């Protein structure tokens, strides 16, 4: 390979890296791999993990897989090749990620999962996720109350390969379906995407102009749905999301979206790094692999306390 080609190859590899510090082979490096930071939830995860890692004396390598399992596998290879002591991962698919985590484990690099589980145990050291079912039940109860226990509604569901999408939908329906006058007239996946949610909401509104509410599997889709409703002059429709983003907080405070469910993303990422640090130093986290963190309902009563996926005192 010529020197010019070597430089080009190095530049392409570097384009995958969102932010990194330290030498090529850092002595104490933690890799942090998440979906795109265009979604503030994942940016909060990366920020929380990175800040905690630096506080504990580690260098960091922050990467983005864009929910592409192949790219995720390549980035985990990069983390292993760079000599990472641990990988903090919000994964790109419950099934598709198992092999990549196993490969890192076989190379001696432990993985600590946040936000999303994988469909295997004993491969990652920790799987720290929000109690999505408990949170969805909170959101479902608020939605029913806001709807007055009656009326037609639609549901926006997340990416099917993500177990959180199914768990949240089940949690919503285990509450809502107890009310016979609540009628779901459409249910579509918008794959966690704001743009896709906008388009799906436009179509559903045309097909069902008499809807009274929208229940969404995350805040990003809720924001897309709300934008479509505003464009159609339908700000009377009740929208409830899930995540606890600052964007939805601001919408709630302005009287737009009515409620969301806070996932403690920042704290979750910090906790994963703390457990990675303990595992690196002692060979054990001292806790179970699967760990649930409860969610908190956010509405007009407490939205002013919400800041970057956490509640201010």
């Amino acid at each position: 390979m010529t020197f010019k080609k070597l430089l080009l190859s190095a530049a392409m590899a570097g384009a995958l890296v969102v932010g990194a510090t330290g030498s090529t082979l850092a002595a104490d490096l933690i890799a942090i791999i998440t979906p795109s930071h265009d979604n503030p939830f994942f940016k909060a995860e990366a920020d929380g993990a990175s800040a905690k890692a630096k506080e504990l004396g580690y260098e960091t390598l922050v990467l983005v897989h864009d929910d592409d399992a192949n790219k995720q596998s390549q980035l985990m290879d990069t983390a292993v090749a760079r000599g990472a002591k641990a990988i903090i991962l919000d994964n790109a698919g419950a099934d598709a990620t198992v092999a990549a985590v196993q490969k890192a484990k076989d190379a001696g690099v432990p993985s600590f999962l946040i936000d999303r589980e994988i469909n295997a145990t004993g491969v990652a050291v920790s799987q720290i996720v929000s109690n999505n079912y408990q949170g969805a039940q909170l959101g479902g109860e608020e939605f029913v109350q806001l709807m007055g226990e009656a009326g037609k509604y639609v549901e926006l569901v997340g990416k099917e390969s993500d177990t959180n999408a199914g768990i949240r939908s089940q949690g919503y329906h285990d509450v809502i379906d107890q009310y016979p006058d609540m009628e779901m007239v459409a249910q579509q996946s918008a794959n966690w995407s704001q743009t896709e949610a906008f388009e799906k909401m436009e179509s559903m509104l045309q097909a069902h102009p008499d809807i009274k509410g929208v229940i969404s599997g995350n805040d990003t889709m809720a924001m897309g749905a709300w934008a479509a409703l505003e464009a159609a002059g339908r700000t009377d429709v009740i929208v409830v999301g899930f995540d606890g983003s600052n964007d939805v907080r601001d919408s709630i405070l302005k009287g737009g979206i009515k409620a969301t469910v806070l996932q403690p993303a920042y704290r979750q990422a910090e906790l994963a790094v703390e457990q990675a640090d303990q595992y690196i130093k002692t060979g054990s986290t001292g806790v179970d692999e699967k760990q649930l963190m409860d969610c908190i309902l956010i509405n007009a009563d407490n939205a002013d306390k919400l800041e970057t996926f956490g509640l201010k005192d």
Side-chain angles (χ1 to χ4, degrees):
M1 184 180 288
T2 65
F3 182 67
K4 184 176 181 181
K5 286 182 178 177
L6 279 170
L7 284 178
L8 178 60
S9 178
M12 291 175 67
L16 295 171
V17 180
V18 171
T21 61
S23 59
T24 302
L25 282 171
D28 294 299
L29 177 73
I30 287 183
I32 300 157
I33 307 175
T34 71
S36 171
H37 295 186
D38 289 344
N39 184 324
F41 181 87
F42 303 124
K43 185 175 188 308
E45 287 181 332
D47 289 347
S50 184
K52 178 56 70 175
K54 290 173 181 173
E55 178 187 321
L56 293 174
Y58 294 93
E59 297 180 353
T60 60
L61 176 67
V62 182
L63 306 167
V64 168
H65 58 56
D66 293 320
D67 276 317
D68 180 333
N70 291 326
K71 184 176 179 181
Q72 172 182 261
S73 181
Q74 294 169 5
L75 296 179
M76 292 187 73
D77 288 344
T78 299
V80 171
R82 291 282 297 271
K85 299 296 184 186
I87 296 172
I88 309 299
L89 174 67
D90 190 338
N91 74 76
D95 290 318
T97 301
V98 176
V101 174
Q102 181 67 56
K103 187 168 56 172
K105 179 182 179 182
D106 292 343
V109 182
S111 296
F112 299 79
L113 274 54
I114 52 175
D115 180 40
R116 302 169 177 175
E117 298 174 81
I118 56 174
N119 289 330
T121 57
V123 183
V125 175
S126 295
Q127 298 195 52
I128 308 170
V129 301
S130 298
N131 191 340
N132 285 281
Y133 185 79
Q134 170 260 351
Q137 290 204 306
L138 289 177
E141 290 165 359
E142 183 74 357
F143 186 62
V144 167
Q145 181 179 338
L146 289 163
M147 293 278 288
E149 303 183 4
K152 295 180 179 179
Y153 72 96
V154 300
E155 180 183 7
L156 287 169
V157 184
K159 191 182 286 290
E160 291 182 1
S161 62
D162 185 342
T163 54
N164 289 348
I167 292 171
R168 290 177 196 173
S169 183
Q170 188 63 52
Y172 286 152
H173 283 281
D174 283 352
V175 172
I176 298 170
D177 295 352
Q178 296 179 43
Y179 297 84
D181 293 330
M182 296 280 293
E183 180 185 359
M184 185 173 73
V185 296
Q187 180 188 51
Q188 293 192 31
S189 173
N191 295 304
W192 305 128
S193 162
Q194 186 164 340
T195 302
E196 197 170 333
F198 182 91
E199 295 166 351
K200 294 284 176 69
M201 191 68 247
E202 281 186 319
S203 299
M204 289 193 288
L205 195 55
Q206 289 175 359
H208 307 284
D210 55 345
I211 62 166
K212 186 178 170 185
V214 179
I215 188 97
S216 172
N218 78 347
D219 278 356
T220 307
M221 296 190 297
M223 289 296 291
W226 181 250
L229 290 165
E230 277 192 308
R234 288 298 312 277
T235 55
D236 59 307
V237 175
I238 294 160
V239 179
V240 171
F242 197 112
D243 278 342
S245 73
N246 287 354
D247 288 338
V248 166
R249 172 202 63 192
D250 295 343
S251 182
I252 292 171
L253 293 174
K254 292 176 183 174
I257 292 173
K258 292 295 181 287
T260 183
V261 177
L262 168 63
Q263 295 190 81
Y266 195 92
R267 178 58 193 145
Q268 209 167 79
E270 287 183 322
L271 188 60
V273 174
E274 290 169 3
Q275 292 184 11
D277 177 57
Q278 182 165 343
Y279 187 84
I280 291 167
K281 292 173 177 171
T282 69
S284 172
T285 63
V287 294
D288 293 338
E289 176 185 336
K290 294 240 182 179
Q291 301 159 56
L292 290 177
M293 295 181 72
D294 279 350
C295 302
I296 301 168
L297 178 70
I298 302 295
N299 56 22
D301 294 335
N302 61 354
D304 61 337
K305 296 180 180 177
L306 180 62
E307 179 60 45
T308 316
F309 301 99
L311 276 183
K312 295 181 291 186
D313 293 333

